[in-house]
Amino acid sequence: IMKKVMKKIQFLIVSAIFMAGCATSQQVPSSADTQSAMSADRYAMAEQMLTWNLADKIFNHNVSPTWIDNSNFWYGVTTRQGREFFLVDAVAETHEAAFSQERLAEIISEETENEVSAYSIRMQNLEFETPDVFRFEAYGHTFVCDREPLACEVTEGTKSRVRASVASPNGRYDAFIREYNIWVKDHETGDEKQLTTEGEKYYGFGTNNQGWMRSDTPVLAWSPDSRKIATFRLDERGVEKMVLWRTKEGRPEADIWPYALPGDTIVPMMERVVLDVHEASKVWLDVEPDHQRTSNCCGLTRGAEWADIQFNEDASQLAFVSTSRDYKTVTLRIADTKTGAVRDIYSETAEPFFESNLTSRGVPNWRVLFDRDEFLWYTRKDNWGHLYLHDLHTAELINRVTEGDWNVVDIYKIDEENGLIWFTAVGIMEDKDPYQEYFYRSQLDGNNLTLLSDEKGNNQVWLSPDASFFVNTWSDFQNPQTSAFRNADGELVAILQEADISDLEATGWSAPIPFSAKARDGETDIYGVMYLPSDFDPEKTYPIVNNIYPGPQVGSIGTRSFSIFRRGQVQALAELGFVVVQIDAFGTPMRSRDFHGYYYGDMADNGLPDQISAMKELAERYDFIDIDRAGMYGHSGGGFATAAAMFRHPEFFKVGVASAGNHDNRGYTFYWGEKFQGLLEETEDGDTYTNQAVHLMAENLEGKLLISYGTMDTNVHPAMTLLVIDELIRHNKDFDVMVMPNRGHGFANEPYKIRRTWDYFTKHLMGVTPPDAYLIGR
């Protein structure tokens, strides 16, 4: 009571001095006077929850098998001993050590004069040629070994792959770019061969410049017989440039490159070509240049190869999909790779945009079944992502393959001869999380849909080449991974590994709590996860912080599998004394087409009304949530969403930390905005992108905002953040800025950035003084 009295007296004294004009400026108590302090020990507890400090506290969870043939596979897994390798014969039902690691360590030590531990062998390119013979590279040597008894032939040197290259299916060739042209290296002869000659700057073959990302690795696709390459010459001549300045002593250094923006009249265009490696010849396809697009998000490549491309077995035909600039119209085409003649097979126009796979960077779910003269098409024309079988010559629909209020996710295999297809899907089972993937088999005629993985949880699958067996790993937010192998009908053969998280639990770590709540419409269920501090006390109240990534290509949560790697280092922030949530709102994928395209044309919506609705519902459900102290933070699209939250909903969000945001998509790559906002068109009020430009809303800021950017961010240019800063200054707003010199887009997990985020929420949302300059180690 006396403290409150003294503070009131101090306030009255200060006010009197001010009113009397005895001071030249207003005097206010410092934060040290008004706030209690958070101990460094509390920050140390949070630091222990950072993903790199938890990574070595989970074992037997990372099974990723490689099939040797139809019934044998090997895998490596991190155990308490270290890295262990196992070999499985699915027919004989044996599961044993892949080789004697102790003996192999001795052999490597003897041959390379390096001290090698049995369970930390640094092997590269491990490959089983047969179940009894394996090869790998280590310490500059190549080892070819018999398993039993273990004996190895050793040669100096390794099969050195060409830097920034794409390997052929048979491993013989590497394709790469040299001076804007495609070359290949033949590893059997050691020769290099030039396949194109007309490449030049801004008009090169296989050029991997998509504005938001660049790479020296060419964009191309190999034929199954490793003889032909499908690629393009990218015409960037006349495309406007983007500029960044690298800070250095003396003069800064410019980085300048073509980067198309929404509304540009000149954009990169792809001129398609097929190259013959043996003959060093090329055939231009007789088709107009294509826009730099794929039929689903995001980018041109999936793994190492160009997406939306499919050769037939002898490479005489090439199927490909062309996508319009606005992503609404896609056209399936087939080219004769000898003549270059192209015929259109099928075209579809979709609103608000077409997607051929709902996962970001998922392989497009169309297939040409050359042996059956049919093609499989994926579309959301009935609001859900499904497969349809068509006649290859007439394009007429033969039948639907899948149907219902759910989505096919990925095609794993098609057996053309027997008319079977294997795929993953979400949302079929009403009693399970609609985002969890399960594995199915169906006939191509649409009959006999069969669930092959029935355990509760998100399923990862590795199918044998002939589909006689498969390995699946399942888990969810709270239950760690179990891996097993099964027969063709999904019947359990044996458990391979069960994750051990006892060390993880010993740290005080707790699994996120899944929940569902209603979206802005009061009817639609949306899903999220909630993170609590390890010493959570339900009798206390906690500020609530939303870690957001609005999509539209993914959501805030990411994988539905068990993981310590969560966007935003959310568990660590919760450890400071916050309730942290991640919510997949309207505008994110894996639900219906209408759900995904909900705020098309108004990207600044970001699903924020749904986030608010769910957070309020949680606060009604749990008394420990103080909804009057709500904050938000995010990076990239999450930075954009956070700034929008602070400007569009200042009555709700009190504190925001926004980093590397694409705050005005007129300044971001044209592929992004033109897909999710639409083509830029002039209007009486400006243009069709005015409503998403958050700097135009900056005058609404009421709370505390920390905004940051990297000066060398080639993905999301700093200019968009600077526009926000300029408008905040113009409107005389108080805010904080953090500049990360010479950083690209990926600075979100830098220890300094994390610590400053902690400080900001601790000080402004919790009302507590953070420890001074706490140093996070990594």
Side-chain angles (χ1 to χ4, degrees):
I1 294 174
M2 288 302 297
K3 286 182 180 179
K4 289 183 179 179
V5 170
M6 292 302 297
K7 283 187 177 181
K8 181 66 173 178
I9 293 172
Q10 289 173 351
F11 173 77
L12 291 173
I13 292 173
V14 170
S15 298
I17 293 173
F18 174 78
M19 293 299 292
C22 297
T24 58
S25 62
Q26 183 176 5
Q27 303 296 308
V28 297
S30 68
S31 60
D33 296 327
T34 60
Q35 297 177 326
S36 60
M38 179 175 288
S39 71
D41 288 344
R42 192 77 192 188
Y43 266 45
M45 289 170 60
E47 183 180 3
Q48 292 310 303
M49 296 301 163
L50 293 169
T51 54
W52 54 80
N53 291 324
L54 298 177
D56 62 351
K57 293 174 174 59
I58 179 170
F59 307 98
N60 307 335
H61 67 295
N62 53 344
V63 173
S64 181
T66 299
W67 288 93
I68 304 167
D69 52 34
N70 290 327
S71 59
N72 292 274
F73 62 90
W74 68 271
Y75 68 92
V77 66
T78 301
T79 69
R80 288 187 175 276
Q81 292 193 93
R83 192 70 176 164
E84 292 192 59
F85 297 89
F86 295 91
L87 184 68
V88 177
D89 183 330
V91 173
E93 299 184 13
T94 58
H95 179 212
E96 58 190 353
F99 40 76
S100 169
Q101 295 189 208
E102 292 82 358
R103 176 59 186 141
L104 187 61
E106 293 174 359
I107 293 173
I108 297 173
S109 299
E110 293 167 1
E111 295 290 343
T112 68
E113 298 181 354
N114 288 278
E115 288 296 325
V116 178
S117 167
Y119 296 100
S120 58
I121 300 174
R122 294 168 55 190
M123 291 187 289
Q124 294 85 42
N125 302 318
L126 175 60
E127 175 187 357
F128 277 79
E129 297 178 350
T130 72
D132 299 315
V133 178
F134 64 97
R135 64 185 301 136
F136 65 93
E137 298 168 358
Y139 303 98
H141 292 68
T142 298
F143 296 75
V144 180
C145 306
D146 293 324
R147 282 189 65 237
E148 294 182 357
L150 184 60
C152 300
E153 292 184 4
V154 186
T155 57
E156 288 194 24
T158 61
K159 187 175 182 179
S160 177
R161 305 233 68 99
V162 178
R163 189 191 71 83
S165 65
V166 180
S168 62
N170 63 8
R172 177 175 174 176
Y173 302 103
D174 284 344
F176 60 97
I177 296 174
R178 178 180 292 160
E179 294 295 322
Y180 313 111
N181 285 293
I182 299 293
W183 291 63
V184 292
K185 179 174 181 179
D186 185 337
H187 286 284
E188 287 189 6
T189 66
D191 295 335
E192 294 182 345
K193 184 185 297 185
Q194 185 172 0
L195 301 184
T196 67
T197 57
E198 305 98 323
E200 60 185 71
K201 189 174 184 180
Y202 302 140
Y203 200 26
F205 287 88
T207 302
N208 198 345
N209 173 23
Q210 294 159 66
W212 62 285
M213 65 84 66
R214 292 172 286 166
S215 172
D216 294 332
T217 303
V219 178
L220 55 83
W222 282 93
S223 63
D225 61 4
S226 298
R227 175 166 182 154
K228 293 186 177 181
I229 293 172
T231 188
F232 53 81
R233 181 166 58 172
L234 187 66
D235 189 354
E236 301 176 285
R237 299 171 298 176
V239 176
E240 294 288 341
K241 307 297 193 298
M242 192 68 84
V243 183
L244 288 170
W245 293 95
R246 182 175 300 280
T247 300
K248 55 189 295 188
E249 292 180 353
R251 292 182 177 86
E253 180 180 87
D255 183 12
I256 306 172
W257 76 104
Y259 189 117
L261 298 177
D264 282 357
T265 55
I266 301 176
V267 297
M269 300 297 290
M270 304 186 300
E271 301 171 357
R272 296 179 181 267
V273 65
V274 174
L275 312 176
D276 189 302
V277 175
H278 293 184
E279 297 178 3
S281 62
K282 64 178 178 296
V283 174
W284 293 100
L285 301 193
D286 186 15
V287 65
E288 289 296 313
D290 266 332
H291 284 286
Q292 198 181 29
R293 301 282 189 257
T294 46
S295 60
N296 71 300
C297 194
C298 300
L300 292 180
T301 55
R302 301 295 180 266
E305 293 207 337
W306 189 13
D308 275 334
I309 295 288
Q310 182 192 343
F311 281 99
N312 67 343
E313 280 301 312
D314 66 4
S316 62
Q317 297 183 77
L318 175 70
F320 62 95
V321 165
S322 300
T323 301
S324 62
R325 180 169 175 174
D326 62 6
Y327 286 93
K328 295 180 186 296
T329 300
V330 291
T331 304
L332 174 64
R333 295 174 163 134
I334 294 183
D336 184 316
T337 60
K338 294 181 181 178
T339 68
V342 175
R343 59 190 177 99
D344 287 0
I345 303 299
Y346 184 75
S347 186
E348 179 178 338
T349 298
E351 293 289 348
F353 47 80
F354 185 89
E355 288 281 27
S356 59
N357 188 306
L358 302 187
T359 61
S360 177
R361 293 186 176 273
V363 175
N365 278 322
W366 62 266
R367 299 287 187 278
V368 174
L369 311 181
F370 288 100
D371 291 342
R372 293 171 60 104
D373 287 328
E374 297 169 348
F375 69 92
L376 198 64
W377 193 248
Y378 181 90
T379 173
R380 297 190 291 182
K381 62 184 179 182
D382 74 348
N383 202 31
W384 299 92
H386 284 296
L387 300 169
Y388 299 75
L389 190 65
H390 291 256
D391 185 280
L392 187 59
H393 298 291
T394 67
E396 293 295 323
L397 177 65
I398 298 172
N399 61 263
R400 292 188 63 143
V401 180
T402 59
E403 185 172 7
D405 292 351
W406 50 274
N407 294 303
V408 171
V409 179
D410 288 304
I411 295 173
Y412 276 71
K413 179 181 174 61
I414 299 173
D415 181 343
E416 294 190 41
E417 182 178 353
N418 295 303
L420 296 171
I421 182 171
W422 290 258
F423 58 89
T424 50
V426 294
I428 295 182
M429 292 166 287
E430 294 182 0
D431 62 333
K432 296 185 179 180
D433 185 328
Y435 291 89
Q436 290 177 348
E437 294 186 32
Y438 291 86
F439 190 47
Y440 296 87
R441 181 183 64 222
S442 174
Q443 292 176 204
L444 286 174
D445 64 10
N447 291 317
N448 295 328
L449 178 66
T450 304
L451 173 65
L452 299 176
S453 56
D454 61 355
E455 290 82 3
K456 182 179 179 181
N458 196 57
N459 280 257
Q460 297 172 281
V461 177
W462 295 265
L463 186 64
S464 69
D466 68 351
S468 56
F469 296 94
F470 68 92
V471 175
N472 74 311
T473 295
W474 64 94
S475 63
D476 58 26
F477 294 119
Q478 299 183 313
N479 297 289
Q481 286 81 356
T482 299
S483 299
F485 73 96
R486 303 173 179 278
N487 65 20
D489 294 322
E491 296 169 339
L492 179 67
V493 178
I495 297 293
L496 298 173
Q497 299 288 338
E498 294 181 279
D500 175 359
I501 62 168
S502 55
D503 285 13
L504 180 65
E505 292 173 322
T507 67
W509 178 91
S510 57
I513 302 167
F515 65 87
S516 65
K518 297 300 180 184
R520 72 186 78 180
D521 61 4
E523 297 179 359
T524 305
D525 286 328
I526 56 176
Y527 294 81
V529 284
M530 178 170 62
Y531 303 80
L532 302 175
S534 59
D535 61 352
F536 169 71
D537 182 351
E539 299 303 316
K540 294 182 178 179
T541 58
Y542 298 85
I544 183 170
V545 181
N546 187 310
N547 172 234
I548 190 170
Y549 191 89
Q553 86 284 18
V554 294
S556 297
I557 298 172
T559 179
R560 263 57 186 182
S561 296
F562 185 92
S563 179
I564 57 170
F565 301 99
R566 295 289 173 187
R567 180 184 286 113
Q569 301 287 356
V570 284
Q571 185 62 52
L573 180 61
E575 200 66 20
L576 295 178
F578 298 97
V579 172
V580 185
V581 295
Q582 294 173 315
I583 302 165
D584 284 346
F586 274 136
T588 55
M590 308 304 282
R591 305 285 290 277
S592 69
R593 179 196 60 205
D594 291 345
F595 188 102
H596 190 192
Y598 191 86
Y599 56 77
Y600 175 84
D602 183 13
M603 290 186 68
D605 177 287
N606 282 303
L608 294 169
D610 311 307
Q611 302 283 345
I612 293 170
S613 175
M615 292 167 73
K616 287 181 175 179
E617 185 174 332
L618 280 180
E620 292 174 0
R621 197 179 302 172
Y622 301 113
D623 292 339
F624 57 78
I625 294 176
D626 182 355
I627 200 63
D628 293 325
R629 291 187 291 166
M632 177 172 279
Y633 73 109
H635 185 81
S636 191
F640 171 44
T642 298
M646 298 299 294
F647 301 159
R648 278 194 168 188
H649 306 280
E651 78 292 342
F652 184 80
F653 292 104
K654 306 303 192 298
V655 181
V657 177
S659 56
N662 50 311
H663 301 296
D664 180 358
N665 288 286
R666 290 174 293 194
Y668 190 42
T669 176
F670 77 128
Y671 102 83
W672 185 259
E674 291 183 347
K675 178 164 190 172
F676 298 117
Q677 182 73 16
L679 297 180
L680 189 149
E681 298 176 359
E682 298 299 323
T683 67
E684 292 182 0
D685 300 324
D687 59 47
T688 51
Y689 277 55
T690 301
N691 64 345
Q692 58 78 53
V694 298
H695 67 281
L696 301 180
M697 314 168 197
E699 64 181 310
N700 298 327
L701 178 66
E702 296 178 9
K704 294 291 186 179
L705 174 63
L706 170 61
I707 195 165
S708 62
Y709 64 94
T711 64
M712 291 300 293
D713 191 338
T714 57
N715 183 338
V716 176
H717 197 280
M720 287 174 278
T721 300
L722 293 171
L723 285 172
V724 177
I725 291 171
D726 192 42
E727 284 298 298
L728 288 168
I729 292 171
R730 188 169 77 86
H731 290 288
N732 196 34
K733 296 294 181 177
D734 291 337
F735 63 100
D736 294 283
V737 178
M738 181 166 61
V739 179
M740 305 294 281
N742 293 339
R743 267 61 160 203
H745 195 58
F747 64 86
N749 281 328
E750 285 196 28
Y752 183 79
K753 168 64 169 59
I754 292 171
R755 194 267 290 177
R756 290 296 303 276
T757 299
W758 291 358
D759 288 353
Y760 212 73
F761 284 123
T762 297
K763 181 177 181 180
H764 296 298
L765 197 62
M766 187 179 290
V768 173
T769 302
D772 185 41
Y774 184 86
L775 181 62
I776 296 174
R778 183 170 186 178

